[in-house]
Amino acid sequence: MGERILGIIFDLDGVITDTAEFHYKAWQWLADREGLSFDRTVNEQLRGVSRRKSLEIILKGSNMEEERILRCMDDKNAYYQTLLEGISRQDILPGVEDLLKGIRRRGWKISLASASRNARFILEKLELISFFDGLSDGYSVVRPKPAPDVFIHAAGQLGLPVTQCIVVEDAEAGVKAALEGGMKTVGIGPENRVGAAHIRYDEPGLIALDDLQSLIPG
């Protein structure tokens, strides 16, 4: 009997590349325009959550009409996309491309699960899109992380049960979502943020494929 095929599901920001500073600048621009309080402490709370949820966090319970909410989200994204125009292969996090190649050599499947609606555009700019068998993004599901929907959708795209999938995440909300979805998780980042994951690494380039294999033995 052959080795079990695994599905490795990656988050995007903070795992494949790091556009966090672009997000911060775009939200800061919007907050300044709208007269909202915003700083890096608030920005840290936005890690791994949807654009709407991010705006709700920034609003801190203040009321805003739906039409204005939609306009703010669109304007923030438009500003963010102008910043993304300069992204390239140089913005791939260290070791990630070798990791993707190693996963491919083992015959495992790869998908992306991100709250971003710019995920495909970013993967294309990074020239990594060919590594991915599936892509689940902000257009794929209604409920964002910490709901498990985007990961369950990603597993479905790979044609694999969630019990054969491992999620690589750098956000607390993402780790929580993957665990709720019944998947093994690899956390990228500090213990106080991703400590609930089954395995934790400081950087994605440090991930060992044998460690992933040990999470779901054949």
Side-chain angles (χ1 to χ4, degrees):
M1 185 174 180
E3 184 179 275
R4 178 181 295 190
I5 295 174
L6 303 185
I8 312 301
I9 302 174
F10 289 90
D11 179 37
L12 177 61
D13 199 25
V15 175
I16 301 295
T17 187
D18 191 354
T19 61
E21 189 65 17
F22 295 157
H23 279 295
Y24 170 73
K25 289 179 178 179
W27 282 121
Q28 185 67 71
W29 169 81
L30 181 73
D32 289 345
R33 190 190 76 178
E34 298 294 321
L36 300 170
S37 175
F38 184 73
D39 57 24
R40 291 190 181 274
T41 301
V42 176
N43 187 64
E44 186 64 20
Q45 299 175 47
L46 312 186
R47 187 183 291 269
V49 302
S50 68
R51 199 180 308 159
R52 175 179 281 272
K53 181 63 176 177
S54 294
L55 182 56
E56 290 173 356
I57 291 171
I58 294 170
L59 288 172
K60 299 175 183 175
S62 299
N63 291 324
M64 180 179 282
E65 294 180 357
E66 179 66 16
E67 182 179 349
R68 187 177 171 193
I69 287 174
L70 295 175
R71 185 173 68 251
C72 283
M73 290 194 299
D74 286 345
D75 290 351
K76 180 268 175 182
N77 191 52
Y79 190 87
Y80 171 67
Q81 286 181 321
T82 64
L83 299 176
L84 282 180
E85 285 297 332
I87 201 170
S88 70
R89 287 181 53 79
Q90 293 182 342
D91 295 293
I92 301 170
L93 289 177
V96 166
E97 188 166 10
D98 286 340
L99 174 63
L100 295 173
K101 290 177 179 177
I103 292 170
R104 277 294 191 202
R105 283 194 294 270
R106 294 207 177 194
W108 299 347
K109 295 184 177 182
I110 303 173
S111 188
L112 190 86
S114 170
S116 174
R117 294 190 173 189
N118 299 294
R120 180 174 295 277
F121 172 78
I122 293 171
L123 286 182
E124 288 173 349
K125 294 284 284 185
L126 296 174
E127 299 179 24
L128 294 178
I129 191 73
S130 62
F131 284 103
F132 288 82
D133 302 294
L135 191 155
S136 297
D137 59 15
Y139 293 108
S140 303
V141 297
V142 174
R143 295 193 306 164
K145 305 170 190 176
D149 303 28
V150 71
F151 293 125
I152 294 171
H153 183 271
Q157 285 196 321
L158 297 180
L160 294 173
V162 295
T163 52
Q164 282 178 232
C165 293
I166 299 169
V167 170
V168 183
E169 257 285 357
D170 77 315
E172 182 178 2
V175 170
K176 180 179 179 180
L179 292 172
E180 187 176 332
M183 302 181 192
K184 301 295 186 181
T185 59
V186 175
I188 305 299
E191 179 78 22
N192 62 359
R193 193 173 73 215
V194 295
H198 294 89
I199 302 176
R200 186 191 67 82
Y201 296 94
D202 290 331
E203 301 172 8
L206 299 176
I207 293 174
L209 295 183
D210 286 344
D211 287 349
L212 301 188
Q213 181 74 69
S214 70
L215 288 175
I216 307 179

